[in-house]
Amino acid sequence: MFDLIPFRKRNEDPFGHMLKSFNDMVENSFLSPFGTGSQPFRTDIREEEDKYSVEAELPGIAKEDIDIQVQGNELIIRAKRNDVVEQKDDSNRIIRQERRSGEFIRRFYVDHIDEEHIKARLEEGVLKLEIPKRPGDDQSRRRIQID
């Protein structure tokens, strides 16, 4: 009866299986402080008539550890995390100490914005940016007819 239960398919690629297992392990939430392997933090961007609204999830990061810059046509958001967790016993001896640190960067293409009037605030782990568009810039789109 044991010979009827397949142990491994003949066409299964052992290297592909190993690579998939490694990728699954790396992308697991316990290794990444924000729960994703490839994207450092989640961001929502909305375009309105006169501004862009950006919301970035930065749980557990203080506003002093967030840097927002506009360089040319790029909006750059950097966030640093340096966490130390200590547990001591009654004799004040450390029985466990864990550290987690890293820098997370997101870059976005921006154009025709009023850099001087960008507003940012941090509320309950969510960074909220209001990026006004420059007045007078032609933001209209024109559909091109195909001949």
Side-chain angles (χ1 to χ4, degrees):
M1 180 169 184
F2 289 110
D3 57 344
L4 297 177
I5 300 172
F7 179 68
R8 189 179 87 195
K9 296 178 183 176
R10 290 181 191 257
N11 60 357
E12 185 178 79
D13 177 23
F15 181 74
H17 181 66
M18 181 180 69
L19 186 61
K20 181 186 179 316
S21 297
F22 177 76
N23 287 335
D24 289 346
M25 180 189 74
V26 170
E27 292 178 2
N28 255 346
S29 62
F30 74 91
L31 291 176
S32 177
F34 289 110
T36 61
S38 60
Q39 188 174 349
F41 51 87
R42 293 188 176 139
T43 308
D44 297 331
I45 303 171
R46 284 185 282 294
E47 181 178 8
E48 299 174 25
E49 194 172 314
D50 60 340
K51 67 181 177 180
Y52 296 99
S53 297
V54 177
E55 291 185 0
E57 292 181 3
L58 299 169
I61 298 195
K63 71 178 185 177
E64 296 81 25
D65 295 329
I66 300 171
D67 181 44
I68 306 164
Q69 297 179 7
V70 176
Q71 294 179 353
N73 288 340
E74 271 189 326
L75 171 71
I76 303 167
I77 303 173
R78 283 187 175 90
K80 294 180 185 177
R81 167 175 264 170
N82 291 313
D83 291 338
V84 177
V85 177
E86 282 186 2
Q87 286 185 348
K88 297 183 179 186
D89 63 5
D90 295 334
S91 303
N92 207 22
R93 293 181 299 179
I94 297 175
I95 57 172
R96 188 179 93 175
Q97 184 172 14
E98 295 181 0
R99 293 167 196 84
R100 184 171 51 177
S101 65
E103 181 176 31
F104 310 96
I105 300 173
R106 292 291 307 268
R107 297 173 187 267
F108 304 97
Y109 176 79
V110 292
D111 201 12
H112 305 291
I113 63 167
D114 183 1
E115 297 175 21
E116 300 297 319
H117 295 97
I118 296 175
K119 295 179 184 174
R121 65 185 187 279
L122 186 65
E123 294 178 355
E124 298 180 9
V126 178
L127 176 67
K128 297 181 180 186
L129 297 170
E130 287 187 13
I131 305 169
K133 295 179 182 178
R134 266 188 275 169
D137 281 343
D138 185 16
Q139 295 289 325
S140 65
R141 294 188 174 114
R142 189 175 128 223
R143 186 174 178 123
I144 307 298
Q145 187 67 31
I146 302 173
D147 294 331

